[in-house]
């Protein structure tokens, strides 16, 4: 007998490539049929068959307040009742721009867009336009959206140019991108020593979240800042995932690093499609209509998305918000680690703010190569077993997880009890 989820997936495959509108949703990495959801509330959501799950994906990060937070819903409803889009300036756009610049000292000017990919693409174009250079540096395992220049994997040597990681990306586009190893200070220094005058920008996730959660070392980020300053390159921090998720001043506040440009997304849209990029005034003033770097978007600063984002940003400024969120994430990761150790399972976990990573290896990885050493079969077994228990983790061993303000002791305890049962099966 087929389930409703299976039936919907088969129908979807007839009309949508792979049956999904974003690849990781297809469960290709873990196998099985994706779950189709119909509603969420707080730390939980329910699938089309009525089964509830504790959600540790949170729409891949934006839902820092949990599903359907009443104040966010109210803001969206009130705004939508006055119009969903104008294609013209609104006061709310100004309010959220002011707030972003107040909360994040590195932002002197900011522009709103509709997705993290759009923000990343625009920041790269702006960096090239400002510096007059073409080459950029990214790091193996970091994901910055599906722009051609950023869908690039490492070459065969430390200083070889990258190769396209997707069909449809021209080799000549990839040739402008150098891909280095994350946390490799020596590799970065060597590259700048040889090519520093040609590098427009370095783009990096200060806490990587798309090869699972990997922390940057302070020395690594400090080296990037020093070398970019020395060689006239721009440092771009991709905080689409970490922005207002790991702290009120984002990851750059935790590390004490001031970038030239910052990419934001997810949390600033409160679960609706919105992102932004911003930074130094002299750089941002190169954008049209002031400068010669063109960027535009019909739905940029959409009033409904801005309303959700503004309310979310107001909520996370409450005293102790991030202390509580961080404590929740640590309770989860510490508990999972203890449950695995009790049952003799090779496992580790770590958290930064409201983000966490789980790994089927003895210690948390520090690079893409170490991530690839994790036991993916063990993760896949764990994922499906926890899914049966009503616990929804990201359907991939290479994605970070998220807690929200709605996750409390009850949800964490239920999760750890389920994990103990699953680990006892000797993954």
């Amino acid at each position: 007998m087929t389930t409703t989820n299976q039936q919907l997936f088969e129908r979807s495959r007839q009309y949508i490539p792979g049956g999904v509108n974003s690849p990781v949703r297809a469960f290709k990495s873990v196998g099985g049929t994706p779950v189709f959801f119909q509603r969420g509330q707080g730390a939980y959501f329910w699938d089309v068959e009525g089964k509830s799950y504790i959600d540790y994906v949170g729409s891949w990060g934006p839902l820092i307040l949990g599903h359907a937070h009443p104040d966010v819903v109210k803001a969206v409803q009130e705004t939508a009742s006055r119009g969903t889009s104008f294609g013209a300036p609104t006061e709310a756009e100004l309010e959220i721009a002011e707030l972003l610049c107040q909360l994040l000292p590195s932002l002197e000017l900011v522009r709103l867009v509709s997705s993290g990919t759009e923000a990343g693409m625009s920041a790269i174009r702006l960096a090239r336009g400002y510096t007059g250079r073409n080459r950029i540096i990214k790091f193996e395992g970091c994901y910055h959206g599906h722009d051609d220049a950023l869908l690039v994997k490492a070459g065969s040597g430390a200083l070889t140019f990258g190769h396209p990681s997707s069909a449809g990306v021209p080799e000549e586009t990839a040739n402008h991108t150098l891909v280095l190893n994350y946390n490799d200070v020596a590799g970065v220094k060597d590259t700048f020593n040889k090519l520093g005058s040609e590098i427009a920008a370095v783009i990096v996730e200060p806490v990587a979240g798309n090869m699972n959660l990997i922390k940057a070392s302070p020395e690594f980020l400090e080296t990037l800042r020093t070398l970019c300053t020395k060689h006239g390159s721009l440092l771009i921090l991709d905080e689409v995932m970490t922005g207002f998720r790991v702290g009120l001043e984002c990851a750059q506040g935790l590390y004490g690093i001031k970038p030239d440009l910052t990419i934001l997304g997810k949390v600033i849209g409160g679960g609706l499609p919105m992102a932004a990029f911003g930074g130094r005034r002299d750089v941002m003033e190169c954008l049209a209509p002031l400068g010669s770097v063109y960027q535009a978007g019909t739905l940029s600063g959409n009033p409904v998305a801005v309303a959700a984002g503004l309310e979310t940003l107001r909520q996370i400024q409450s005293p102790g918000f991030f202390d509580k969120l961080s404590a929740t994430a640590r309770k989860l990761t510490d508990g999972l680690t203890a449950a695995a150790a009790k049952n003799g399972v090779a496992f580790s976990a770590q958290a930064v703010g409201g983000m966490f990573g789980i790994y089927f290896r003895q210690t948390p990885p520090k690079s893409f190569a170490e991530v690839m050493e994790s036991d993916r079969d063990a993760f896949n077994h764990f994922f499906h077993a926890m899914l049966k228990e009503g616990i929804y983790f990201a359907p991939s061993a290479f994605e970070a997880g998220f807690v929200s303000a709605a996750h409390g002791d009850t949800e964490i305890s239920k999760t750890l009890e389920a994990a103990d049962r699953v680990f006892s099966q000797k993954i």
Side-chain angles (χ1 to χ4, degrees):
M1 181 181 296
T2 59
T3 67
T4 304
N5 282 307
Q6 290 170 329
Q7 292 170 4
L8 288 174
F9 188 49
E10 286 306 311
R11 283 176 56 197
S12 295
R13 291 171 65 186
Q14 297 177 45
Y15 301 102
I16 304 171
V20 293
N21 285 309
S22 190
V24 75
R25 301 177 191 175
F27 277 32
K28 188 174 181 180
S29 176
V30 294
T33 301
V35 182
F36 282 65
F37 291 99
Q38 61 179 6
R39 69 183 181 95
Q41 185 66 55
Y44 297 83
F45 54 7
W46 286 259
D47 71 11
V48 290
E49 296 169 6
K51 181 177 179 178
S52 68
Y53 303 80
I54 299 174
D55 179 18
Y56 289 105
V57 176
S59 192
W60 302 96
L63 302 182
I64 196 169
L65 303 179
H67 290 274
H69 189 281
D71 292 334
V72 175
V73 171
K74 180 181 178 182
V76 167
Q77 290 173 333
E78 289 180 350
T79 301
S81 71
R82 297 191 295 268
T84 57
S85 182
F86 304 115
T90 65
E91 186 175 357
E93 290 176 68
L94 167 60
E95 289 178 8
I96 200 166
E98 285 180 328
L99 182 56
L100 289 172
C101 291
Q102 289 166 7
L103 293 175
L104 209 53
S106 69
L107 298 186
E108 295 178 337
L109 292 176
V110 64
R111 178 160 284 181
L112 304 182
V113 293
S114 298
S115 72
T117 289
E118 189 181 352
M121 172 187 73
S122 301
I124 291 295
R125 182 185 301 155
L126 177 57
R128 285 172 165 160
Y130 176 81
T131 63
R133 305 170 182 176
N134 292 328
R135 291 181 177 171
I136 62 171
I137 291 176
K138 71 178 292 286
F139 296 91
E140 184 82 358
C142 286
Y143 176 73
H144 308 289
H146 56 88
D147 176 53
D148 283 1
L150 299 170
L151 284 180
V152 179
K153 60 186 177 181
S156 58
L159 285 178
T160 59
F161 294 111
H163 301 302
S165 57
S166 168
V169 177
E171 284 280 355
E172 54 268 29
T173 299
N175 283 341
H176 291 303
T177 303
L178 289 162
V179 185
L180 306 182
N181 293 322
Y182 196 77
N183 276 326
D184 181 4
V185 172
V188 171
K189 289 181 177 178
D190 190 34
T191 302
F192 266 98
N193 284 339
K194 295 178 179 177
L195 297 171
S197 64
E198 302 175 26
I199 295 168
V202 175
I203 185 168
V204 64
E205 292 179 278
V207 178
N210 288 286
M211 52 175 162
N212 213 315
L213 184 143
I214 310 294
K215 296 180 181 180
S217 71
E219 182 188 8
F220 176 61
L221 292 182
E222 289 165 5
T223 299
L224 296 181
R225 176 65 280 169
T226 298
L227 291 174
C228 283
T229 300
K230 178 181 177 180
H231 292 275
S233 307
L234 300 187
L235 177 59
I236 305 172
L237 288 192
D238 182 344
E239 298 229 45
V240 167
M241 195 172 288
T242 55
F244 305 107
R245 163 55 75 172
V246 301
L248 198 55
E249 289 190 10
C250 310
Q252 57 196 264
L254 294 181
Y255 282 97
I257 297 294
K258 186 176 182 179
D260 300 299
L261 291 172
T262 298
I263 303 169
L264 296 167
K266 297 187 183 292
V267 168
I268 70 165
L272 274 68
M274 189 171 73
F277 65 102
R280 282 169 38 189
R281 181 175 297 273
D282 62 323
V283 177
M284 293 296 292
E285 286 181 342
C286 290
L287 284 173
L290 296 177
S292 59
V293 178
Y294 193 74
Q295 183 276 329
T298 299
L299 293 179
S300 295
N302 174 267
V304 180
V306 167
L310 267 174
E311 185 56 41
T312 299
L313 291 173
R314 289 175 183 136
Q315 295 280 336
I316 66 174
Q317 294 179 71
S318 61
F321 180 90
F322 282 100
D323 291 338
K324 181 176 182 295
L325 189 73
S326 298
T328 300
R330 288 195 304 271
K331 184 173 183 180
L332 174 67
T333 54
D334 289 349
L336 289 172
T337 302
K342 169 188 169 185
N343 291 286
V345 175
F347 179 90
S348 57
Q350 62 182 343
V352 181
M355 294 175 63
F356 66 87
I358 58 175
Y359 327 92
F360 283 86
R361 67 191 308 271
Q362 291 292 350
T363 57
K366 297 178 182 178
S367 66
F368 179 76
E370 290 187 359
V371 170
M372 297 303 290
E373 294 170 358
S374 299
D375 188 337
R376 279 169 278 176
D377 289 337
F379 172 83
N380 291 351
H381 174 85
F382 175 80
F383 169 80
H384 283 290
M386 292 296 280
L387 197 64
K388 290 179 181 178
E389 294 271 0
I391 313 295
Y392 191 82
F393 286 109
S396 169
F398 308 111
E399 298 287 348
F402 305 92
V403 298
S404 75
H407 287 79
D409 290 342
T410 298
E411 288 73 34
I412 300 301
S413 295
K414 286 181 180 178
T415 302
L416 297 181
E417 290 166 5
D420 186 48
R421 290 190 291 271
V422 171
F423 285 138
S424 71
Q425 300 169 10
K426 302 300 179 186
I427 292 175

